[in-house]
Amino acid sequence: MSKHSYILKLERNRKTENIFVRMVNTAMHEAKLMEECDELVEIIQQRKQMIAVKIKETKVMKLRKLAQQVANCRQCLERSTVLINQAEHILKENDQARFLQSAKNIAERVAMATASSQVLIPDINFNDAFENFALDFSREKKLLEGLDYLTAPNPPSIREELCTASHDTITVHWISDDEFSISSYELQYTIFTGQANFISKSWCSWGLYNSVDSWMIVPNIKQNHYTVHGLQSGTRYIFIVKAINQAGSRNSEPTRLKTNSQPFKLDPKMTHKKLKISNDGLQMEKEESSLKKSHTPERFSGTGCYGAAGNIFIDSGCHYWEVVMGSSTWYAVGIAYKSAPKNEWIGKNASSWVFSRCNSNFVVRHNNKEMLVDVPPQLKRLGVLLDYDNNMLSFYDPANSLHLHTFDVTFILPVCPTFTIWNKSLMILSGLPAPDFIDYPERQECNCRPQESPYVSGMKACH
């Protein structure tokens, strides 16, 4: 048999199998339809018998009351007949005394009969014998007329504009057109590692489960929102919401959401004696007076630079913060190991990496080697992205969505955000989400000098 014939035979077998499966499914649905209809008919028969019993019991009760009223009326008529006969007999009495006595007796009996005449008022409304019943099944008829087979719900839609995040949580909101037919939702999420695991709509029905081990699943959600805890800081995640009912389930489009960066403040214990830290711990300013601050080993102590560090050491995740330079023209911003020297500019040793401005020159510096970076002099805000897990430290101009430089670093220890100034002040903004333009490196513009000779010598270093 030729290869072509073999392929054709396999294709015919596959089509035959598909037809057989569809026939089996059709037979199963037909049997299920008969079963469901039989159950509905049985329920209607049961309800019919129950209502008929109620009507019969009410009928018996009313007939008993009617018979009692008839008996009471008969007694009253018999008493009235006796009184009439006595009255006729008294009218023939000639003796005045006996006449008056007999008339008094009759008057008393008439008064008693009048008092008991309430029993003759009927308590049964013969014009509406079943006033407490309403045999109206119009609503049920409409429900029966609307009977149809149940289908899997339409895919829900994640509302990105309603979703919120902190540095370790994301609250996901979604909507569904079939909210009343959905029994529950299921939330699935995983870390976004690139377009390879960003599943398209056509894959959502089955491609997800090819790598189910990497997905976290939250089942049996009854509301249209859920907060996921314990996430990594500054990390992008893919979320998918599955709507479920008895007929099946359908997934939403995958949506990327990200946690904010880990918030931090400036650590006063590490701050140079000639720096003033604001009450909120987010701003540092040069201050010549240092009488109230004592020297400690962890405090920055350089004579020509004034350093400070964040109160956090980072050993995982992706973190983004920004620095507002204001009018400062001499500063350095970056990261450092805890072991980095505290008596010199950061970046002048192998334990620190920085972006620095020295008057009109912008450079990146590590291990006392510097490289010029083309940056507009009016740069007032610097973005810093630390991707510890991928060994990268990047600097950005967030106002113009520009990538300035990236250090490739093989981190071996936790690092700390570090800041140095020679004049004016700096302010940090931490706990921020990374800007959207950073999510798409191919769209970024790099203002770095050519990499063939990245480090320049002979230029005036920052001291």
Side-chain angles (χ1 to χ4, degrees), residues 32-67:
K32 182 65 175 176
L33 175 62
M34 295 302 297
E35 179 183 348
E36 293 290 335
C37 289
D38 289 343
E39 288 183 2
L40 284 176
V41 171
E42 182 179 356
I43 291 173
I44 292 174
Q45 291 290 347
Q46 291 174 354
R47 299 299 297 178
K48 176 184 176 182
Q49 293 177 2
M50 185 189 72
I51 295 173
V53 168
K54 285 185 176 181
I55 293 175
K56 184 176 181 180
E57 290 176 349
T58 303
K59 177 182 177 181
V60 170
M61 179 192 68
K62 290 182 179 291
L63 287 175
R64 286 176 180 173
K65 287 185 177 181
L66 182 61

mmCIF file of all heavy atoms in Angstrom, residues 32-67:
data_model
loop_
_atom_site.group_PDB
_atom_site.id
_atom_site.type_symbol
_atom_site.label_atom_id
_atom_site.label_comp_id
_atom_site.label_asym_id
_atom_site.label_seq_id
_atom_site.Cartn_x
_atom_site.Cartn_y
_atom_site.Cartn_z
ATOM 1 N N LYS A 32 -31.895 11.146 26.968
ATOM 2 C CA LYS A 32 -31.949 12.102 28.070
ATOM 3 C C LYS A 32 -33.193 12.985 27.961
ATOM 4 O O LYS A 32 -33.829 13.303 28.975
ATOM 5 C CB LYS A 32 -30.674 12.975 28.052
ATOM 6 C CG LYS A 32 -30.595 13.976 29.188
ATOM 7 C CD LYS A 32 -30.498 13.297 30.537
ATOM 8 C CE LYS A 32 -30.305 14.302 31.651
ATOM 9 N NZ LYS A 32 -30.295 13.666 32.990
ATOM 10 N N LEU A 33 -33.568 13.371 26.735
ATOM 11 C CA LEU A 33 -34.768 14.173 26.534
ATOM 12 C C LEU A 33 -36.000 13.427 27.017
ATOM 13 O O LEU A 33 -36.858 13.993 27.716
ATOM 14 C CB LEU A 33 -34.904 14.542 25.055
ATOM 15 C CG LEU A 33 -36.179 15.288 24.660
ATOM 16 C CD1 LEU A 33 -36.264 16.632 25.383
ATOM 17 C CD2 LEU A 33 -36.244 15.478 23.146
ATOM 18 N N MET A 34 -36.128 12.143 26.646
ATOM 19 C CA MET A 34 -37.274 11.353 27.084
ATOM 20 C C MET A 34 -37.293 11.226 28.608
ATOM 21 O O MET A 34 -38.351 11.340 29.239
ATOM 22 C CB MET A 34 -37.216 9.964 26.436
ATOM 23 C CG MET A 34 -37.359 9.976 24.919
ATOM 24 S SD MET A 34 -38.904 10.752 24.372
ATOM 25 C CE MET A 34 -40.087 9.619 25.104
ATOM 26 N N GLU A 35 -36.134 11.035 29.198
ATOM 27 C CA GLU A 35 -36.055 10.899 30.653
ATOM 28 C C GLU A 35 -36.498 12.185 31.350
ATOM 29 O O GLU A 35 -37.289 12.143 32.308
ATOM 30 C CB GLU A 35 -34.613 10.551 31.052
ATOM 31 C CG GLU A 35 -34.411 10.421 32.552
ATOM 32 C CD GLU A 35 -32.956 10.155 32.897
ATOM 33 O OE1 GLU A 35 -32.163 9.853 31.980
ATOM 34 O OE2 GLU A 35 -32.618 10.264 34.104
ATOM 35 N N GLU A 36 -36.032 13.320 30.859
ATOM 36 C CA GLU A 36 -36.390 14.589 31.480
ATOM 37 C C GLU A 36 -37.884 14.880 31.315
ATOM 38 O O GLU A 36 -38.549 15.353 32.243
ATOM 39 C CB GLU A 36 -35.562 15.724 30.866
ATOM 40 C CG GLU A 36 -34.076 15.675 31.172
ATOM 41 C CD GLU A 36 -33.780 15.992 32.624
ATOM 42 O OE1 GLU A 36 -34.607 16.683 33.255
ATOM 43 O OE2 GLU A 36 -32.738 15.539 33.127
ATOM 44 N N CYS A 37 -38.429 14.603 30.110
ATOM 45 C CA CYS A 37 -39.870 14.840 29.881
ATOM 46 C C CYS A 37 -40.724 13.933 30.760
ATOM 47 O O CYS A 37 -41.759 14.365 31.292
ATOM 48 C CB CYS A 37 -40.197 14.628 28.400
ATOM 49 S SG CYS A 37 -39.534 15.925 27.317
ATOM 50 N N ASP A 38 -40.319 12.680 30.888
ATOM 51 C CA ASP A 38 -41.065 11.753 31.758
ATOM 52 C C ASP A 38 -41.063 12.254 33.200
ATOM 53 O O ASP A 38 -42.085 12.170 33.905
ATOM 54 C CB ASP A 38 -40.453 10.350 31.687
ATOM 55 C CG ASP A 38 -40.708 9.677 30.340
ATOM 56 O OD1 ASP A 38 -41.603 10.145 29.609
ATOM 57 O OD2 ASP A 38 -39.995 8.705 30.016
ATOM 58 N N GLU A 39 -39.946 12.807 33.642
ATOM 59 C CA GLU A 39 -39.884 13.333 34.999
ATOM 60 C C GLU A 39 -40.805 14.546 35.157
ATOM 61 O O GLU A 39 -41.467 14.704 36.191
ATOM 62 C CB GLU A 39 -38.445 13.722 35.341
ATOM 63 C CG GLU A 39 -37.515 12.531 35.541
ATOM 64 C CD GLU A 39 -36.115 12.965 35.938
ATOM 65 O OE1 GLU A 39 -35.893 14.190 36.095
ATOM 66 O OE2 GLU A 39 -35.238 12.091 36.096
ATOM 67 N N LEU A 40 -40.848 15.407 34.115
ATOM 68 C CA LEU A 40 -41.755 16.551 34.178
ATOM 69 C C LEU A 40 -43.211 16.096 34.254
ATOM 70 O O LEU A 40 -44.010 16.629 35.042
ATOM 71 C CB LEU A 40 -41.546 17.445 32.951
ATOM 72 C CG LEU A 40 -40.298 18.333 32.940
ATOM 73 C CD1 LEU A 40 -40.207 19.069 31.609
ATOM 74 C CD2 LEU A 40 -40.342 19.334 34.085
ATOM 75 N N VAL A 41 -43.602 15.122 33.426
ATOM 76 C CA VAL A 41 -44.979 14.613 33.436
ATOM 77 C C VAL A 41 -45.303 14.013 34.800
ATOM 78 O O VAL A 41 -46.401 14.217 35.347
ATOM 79 C CB VAL A 41 -45.160 13.570 32.313
ATOM 80 C CG1 VAL A 41 -46.516 12.873 32.455
ATOM 81 C CG2 VAL A 41 -45.047 14.223 30.944
ATOM 82 N N GLU A 42 -44.342 13.281 35.370
ATOM 83 C CA GLU A 42 -44.569 12.680 36.683
ATOM 84 C C GLU A 42 -44.774 13.757 37.750
ATOM 85 O O GLU A 42 -45.658 13.629 38.617
ATOM 86 C CB GLU A 42 -43.379 11.793 37.046
ATOM 87 C CG GLU A 42 -43.549 11.075 38.380
ATOM 88 C CD GLU A 42 -42.370 10.181 38.708
ATOM 89 O OE1 GLU A 42 -41.464 10.064 37.859
ATOM 90 O OE2 GLU A 42 -42.358 9.616 39.820
ATOM 91 N N ILE A 43 -43.973 14.819 37.675
ATOM 92 C CA ILE A 43 -44.126 15.912 38.638
ATOM 93 C C ILE A 43 -45.494 16.575 38.485
ATOM 94 O O ILE A 43 -46.183 16.872 39.473
ATOM 95 C CB ILE A 43 -43.003 16.943 38.450
ATOM 96 C CG1 ILE A 43 -41.660 16.343 38.871
ATOM 97 C CG2 ILE A 43 -43.283 18.213 39.254
ATOM 98 C CD1 ILE A 43 -40.471 17.233 38.562
ATOM 99 N N ILE A 44 -45.943 16.777 37.218
ATOM 100 C CA ILE A 44 -47.254 17.391 36.984
ATOM 101 C C ILE A 44 -48.366 16.501 37.527
ATOM 102 O O ILE A 44 -49.329 16.992 38.152
ATOM 103 C CB ILE A 44 -47.443 17.659 35.479
ATOM 104 C CG1 ILE A 44 -46.478 18.771 35.018
ATOM 105 C CG2 ILE A 44 -48.885 18.063 35.180
ATOM 106 C CD1 ILE A 44 -46.480 19.012 33.531
ATOM 107 N N GLN A 45 -48.260 15.187 37.313
ATOM 108 C CA GLN A 45 -49.264 14.258 37.843
ATOM 109 C C GLN A 45 -49.311 14.308 39.367
ATOM 110 O O GLN A 45 -50.394 14.320 39.969
ATOM 111 C CB GLN A 45 -48.949 12.827 37.369
ATOM 112 C CG GLN A 45 -49.152 12.589 35.887
ATOM 113 C CD GLN A 45 -50.630 12.613 35.491
ATOM 114 O OE1 GLN A 45 -51.523 12.577 36.331
ATOM 115 N NE2 GLN A 45 -50.878 12.686 34.185
ATOM 116 N N GLN A 46 -48.143 14.360 39.992
ATOM 117 C CA GLN A 46 -48.104 14.423 41.451
ATOM 118 C C GLN A 46 -48.739 15.710 41.962
ATOM 119 O O GLN A 46 -49.506 15.694 42.930
ATOM 120 C CB GLN A 46 -46.655 14.313 41.930
ATOM 121 C CG GLN A 46 -46.027 12.951 41.713
ATOM 122 C CD GLN A 46 -44.549 12.930 42.079
ATOM 123 O OE1 GLN A 46 -43.960 13.966 42.391
ATOM 124 N NE2 GLN A 46 -43.943 11.753 42.041
ATOM 125 N N ARG A 47 -48.409 16.827 41.306
ATOM 126 C CA ARG A 47 -49.002 18.097 41.725
ATOM 127 C C ARG A 47 -50.514 18.105 41.484
ATOM 128 O O ARG A 47 -51.276 18.659 42.282
ATOM 129 C CB ARG A 47 -48.344 19.250 40.954
ATOM 130 C CG ARG A 47 -46.859 19.385 41.166
ATOM 131 C CD ARG A 47 -46.524 19.655 42.613
ATOM 132 N NE ARG A 47 -47.075 20.913 43.079
ATOM 133 C CZ ARG A 47 -46.964 21.369 44.318
ATOM 134 N NH1 ARG A 47 -46.371 20.615 45.232
ATOM 135 N NH2 ARG A 47 -47.472 22.536 44.664
ATOM 136 N N LYS A 48 -50.957 17.497 40.391
ATOM 137 C CA LYS A 48 -52.389 17.422 40.099
ATOM 138 C C LYS A 48 -53.118 16.666 41.202
ATOM 139 O O LYS A 48 -54.177 17.104 41.693
ATOM 140 C CB LYS A 48 -52.596 16.742 38.751
ATOM 141 C CG LYS A 48 -54.060 16.517 38.398
ATOM 142 C CD LYS A 48 -54.195 15.746 37.102
ATOM 143 C CE LYS A 48 -55.650 15.431 36.796
ATOM 144 N NZ LYS A 48 -55.793 14.636 35.551
ATOM 145 N N GLN A 49 -52.555 15.526 41.606
ATOM 146 C CA GLN A 49 -53.196 14.735 42.665
ATOM 147 C C GLN A 49 -53.209 15.508 43.978
ATOM 148 O O GLN A 49 -54.209 15.486 44.707
ATOM 149 C CB GLN A 49 -52.444 13.415 42.841
ATOM 150 C CG GLN A 49 -52.565 12.475 41.639
ATOM 151 C CD GLN A 49 -51.752 11.205 41.817
ATOM 152 O OE1 GLN A 49 -51.125 10.991 42.846
ATOM 153 N NE2 GLN A 49 -51.735 10.360 40.789
ATOM 154 N N MET A 50 -52.120 16.214 44.291
ATOM 155 C CA MET A 50 -52.054 16.948 45.541
ATOM 156 C C MET A 50 -53.094 18.063 45.578
ATOM 157 O O MET A 50 -53.810 18.248 46.576
ATOM 158 C CB MET A 50 -50.651 17.533 45.721
ATOM 159 C CG MET A 50 -50.440 18.218 47.066
ATOM 160 S SD MET A 50 -48.884 19.101 47.140
ATOM 161 C CE MET A 50 -49.272 20.481 46.051
ATOM 162 N N ILE A 51 -53.233 18.808 44.457
ATOM 163 C CA ILE A 51 -54.206 19.893 44.396
ATOM 164 C C ILE A 51 -55.633 19.338 44.449
ATOM 165 O O ILE A 51 -56.521 19.904 45.090
ATOM 166 C CB ILE A 51 -53.984 20.736 43.131
ATOM 167 C CG1 ILE A 51 -52.616 21.444 43.208
ATOM 168 C CG2 ILE A 51 -55.084 21.772 42.967
ATOM 169 C CD1 ILE A 51 -52.241 22.171 41.934
ATOM 170 N N ALA A 52 -55.860 18.207 43.770
ATOM 171 C CA ALA A 52 -57.195 17.582 43.789
ATOM 172 C C ALA A 52 -57.582 17.164 45.209
ATOM 173 O O ALA A 52 -58.740 17.333 45.632
ATOM 174 C CB ALA A 52 -57.227 16.382 42.848
ATOM 175 N N VAL A 53 -56.612 16.643 45.970
ATOM 176 C CA VAL A 53 -56.887 16.249 47.355
ATOM 177 C C VAL A 53 -57.252 17.486 48.190
ATOM 178 O O VAL A 53 -58.185 17.450 49.005
ATOM 179 C CB VAL A 53 -55.667 15.520 47.942
ATOM 180 C CG1 VAL A 53 -55.815 15.362 49.466
ATOM 181 C CG2 VAL A 53 -55.496 14.166 47.287
ATOM 182 N N LYS A 54 -56.513 18.591 47.976
ATOM 183 C CA LYS A 54 -56.829 19.814 48.706
ATOM 184 C C LYS A 54 -58.240 20.303 48.398
ATOM 185 O O LYS A 54 -58.979 20.716 49.294
ATOM 186 C CB LYS A 54 -55.821 20.908 48.350
ATOM 187 C CG LYS A 54 -54.453 20.723 48.987
ATOM 188 C CD LYS A 54 -53.568 21.921 48.675
ATOM 189 C CE LYS A 54 -52.228 21.807 49.369
ATOM 190 N NZ LYS A 54 -51.356 22.979 49.091
ATOM 191 N N ILE A 55 -58.630 20.262 47.125
ATOM 192 C CA ILE A 55 -59.976 20.699 46.737
ATOM 193 C C ILE A 55 -61.038 19.801 47.373
ATOM 194 O O ILE A 55 -62.072 20.273 47.883
ATOM 195 C CB ILE A 55 -60.112 20.705 45.204
ATOM 196 C CG1 ILE A 55 -59.194 21.787 44.603
ATOM 197 C CG2 ILE A 55 -61.557 20.938 44.785
ATOM 198 C CD1 ILE A 55 -59.159 21.787 43.085
ATOM 199 N N LYS A 56 -60.775 18.489 47.374
ATOM 200 C CA LYS A 56 -61.732 17.540 47.950
ATOM 201 C C LYS A 56 -61.885 17.768 49.449
ATOM 202 O O LYS A 56 -63.013 17.765 49.978
ATOM 203 C CB LYS A 56 -61.269 16.120 47.675
ATOM 204 C CG LYS A 56 -62.236 15.059 48.152
ATOM 205 C CD LYS A 56 -61.764 13.662 47.770
ATOM 206 C CE LYS A 56 -62.750 12.601 48.238
ATOM 207 N NZ LYS A 56 -62.296 11.234 47.870
ATOM 208 N N GLU A 57 -60.759 17.968 50.127
ATOM 209 C CA GLU A 57 -60.817 18.208 51.581
ATOM 210 C C GLU A 57 -61.583 19.491 51.886
ATOM 211 O O GLU A 57 -62.373 19.540 52.838
ATOM 212 C CB GLU A 57 -59.389 18.290 52.139
ATOM 213 C CG GLU A 57 -58.659 16.954 52.133
ATOM 214 C CD GLU A 57 -57.213 17.097 52.591
ATOM 215 O OE1 GLU A 57 -56.735 18.264 52.705
ATOM 216 O OE2 GLU A 57 -56.550 16.073 52.825
ATOM 217 N N THR A 58 -61.349 20.530 51.086
ATOM 218 C CA THR A 58 -62.076 21.786 51.295
ATOM 219 C C THR A 58 -63.577 21.607 51.046
ATOM 220 O O THR A 58 -64.417 22.153 51.776
ATOM 221 C CB THR A 58 -61.521 22.862 50.357
ATOM 222 O OG1 THR A 58 -60.124 23.013 50.588
ATOM 223 C CG2 THR A 58 -62.196 24.208 50.599
ATOM 224 N N LYS A 59 -63.896 20.809 50.045
ATOM 225 C CA LYS A 59 -65.311 20.549 49.736
ATOM 226 C C LYS A 59 -65.994 19.826 50.895
ATOM 227 O O LYS A 59 -67.111 20.201 51.311
ATOM 228 C CB LYS A 59 -65.404 19.712 48.463
ATOM 229 C CG LYS A 59 -66.814 19.315 48.079
ATOM 230 C CD LYS A 59 -66.799 18.444 46.825
ATOM 231 C CE LYS A 59 -68.204 17.975 46.463
ATOM 232 N NZ LYS A 59 -68.200 17.112 45.261
ATOM 233 N N VAL A 60 -65.322 18.807 51.447
ATOM 234 C CA VAL A 60 -65.892 18.058 52.574
ATOM 235 C C VAL A 60 -66.097 18.971 53.776
ATOM 236 O O VAL A 60 -67.139 18.929 54.455
ATOM 237 C CB VAL A 60 -64.976 16.871 52.931
ATOM 238 C CG1 VAL A 60 -65.419 16.218 54.252
ATOM 239 C CG2 VAL A 60 -64.982 15.846 51.804
ATOM 240 N N MET A 61 -65.111 19.836 54.048
ATOM 241 C CA MET A 61 -65.206 20.741 55.194
ATOM 242 C C MET A 61 -66.397 21.680 55.043
ATOM 243 O O MET A 61 -67.172 21.910 55.994
ATOM 244 C CB MET A 61 -63.902 21.542 55.321
ATOM 245 C CG MET A 61 -63.899 22.546 56.467
ATOM 246 S SD MET A 61 -62.526 23.699 56.371
ATOM 247 C CE MET A 61 -63.003 24.630 54.902
ATOM 248 N N LYS A 62 -66.573 22.231 53.849
ATOM 249 C CA LYS A 62 -67.670 23.172 53.632
ATOM 250 C C LYS A 62 -69.033 22.465 53.693
ATOM 251 O O LYS A 62 -70.017 23.031 54.186
ATOM 252 C CB LYS A 62 -67.480 23.881 52.288
ATOM 253 C CG LYS A 62 -66.297 24.853 52.298
ATOM 254 C CD LYS A 62 -66.176 25.576 50.981
ATOM 255 C CE LYS A 62 -65.014 26.566 51.010
ATOM 256 N NZ LYS A 62 -65.281 27.687 51.916
ATOM 257 N N LEU A 63 -69.109 21.234 53.210
ATOM 258 C CA LEU A 63 -70.375 20.497 53.293
ATOM 259 C C LEU A 63 -70.743 20.197 54.735
ATOM 260 O O LEU A 63 -71.931 20.229 55.121
ATOM 261 C CB LEU A 63 -70.265 19.194 52.488
ATOM 262 C CG LEU A 63 -70.271 19.358 50.964
ATOM 263 C CD1 LEU A 63 -70.041 18.016 50.274
ATOM 264 C CD2 LEU A 63 -71.597 19.973 50.478
ATOM 265 N N ARG A 64 -69.720 19.916 55.567
ATOM 266 C CA ARG A 64 -69.993 19.667 56.978
ATOM 267 C C ARG A 64 -70.530 20.926 57.654
ATOM 268 O O ARG A 64 -71.479 20.869 58.449
ATOM 269 C CB ARG A 64 -68.719 19.207 57.676
ATOM 270 C CG ARG A 64 -68.312 17.770 57.332
ATOM 271 C CD ARG A 64 -66.981 17.419 57.990
ATOM 272 N NE ARG A 64 -66.605 16.051 57.667
ATOM 273 C CZ ARG A 64 -65.427 15.510 57.985
ATOM 274 N NH1 ARG A 64 -64.533 16.262 58.654
ATOM 275 N NH2 ARG A 64 -65.167 14.263 57.656
ATOM 276 N N LYS A 65 -69.930 22.048 57.352
ATOM 277 C CA LYS A 65 -70.425 23.304 57.919
ATOM 278 C C LYS A 65 -71.846 23.593 57.458
ATOM 279 O O LYS A 65 -72.684 24.068 58.235
ATOM 280 C CB LYS A 65 -69.503 24.457 57.515
ATOM 281 C CG LYS A 65 -68.160 24.454 58.231
ATOM 282 C CD LYS A 65 -67.358 25.692 57.861
ATOM 283 C CE LYS A 65 -66.033 25.739 58.623
ATOM 284 N NZ LYS A 65 -65.262 26.953 58.289
ATOM 285 N N LEU A 66 -72.127 23.308 56.203
ATOM 286 C CA LEU A 66 -73.465 23.538 55.661
ATOM 287 C C LEU A 66 -74.498 22.642 56.350
ATOM 288 O O LEU A 66 -75.603 23.082 56.708
ATOM 289 C CB LEU A 66 -73.474 23.297 54.159
ATOM 290 C CG LEU A 66 -74.800 23.537 53.429
ATOM 291 C CD1 LEU A 66 -75.240 24.992 53.590
ATOM 292 C CD2 LEU A 66 -74.680 23.191 51.944
ATOM 293 N N ALA A 67 -74.134 21.375 56.578
ATOM 294 C CA ALA A 67 -75.054 20.458 57.259
ATOM 295 C C ALA A 67 -75.329 20.921 58.682
ATOM 296 O O ALA A 67 -76.472 20.826 59.173
ATOM 297 C CB ALA A 67 -74.463 19.046 57.259
#
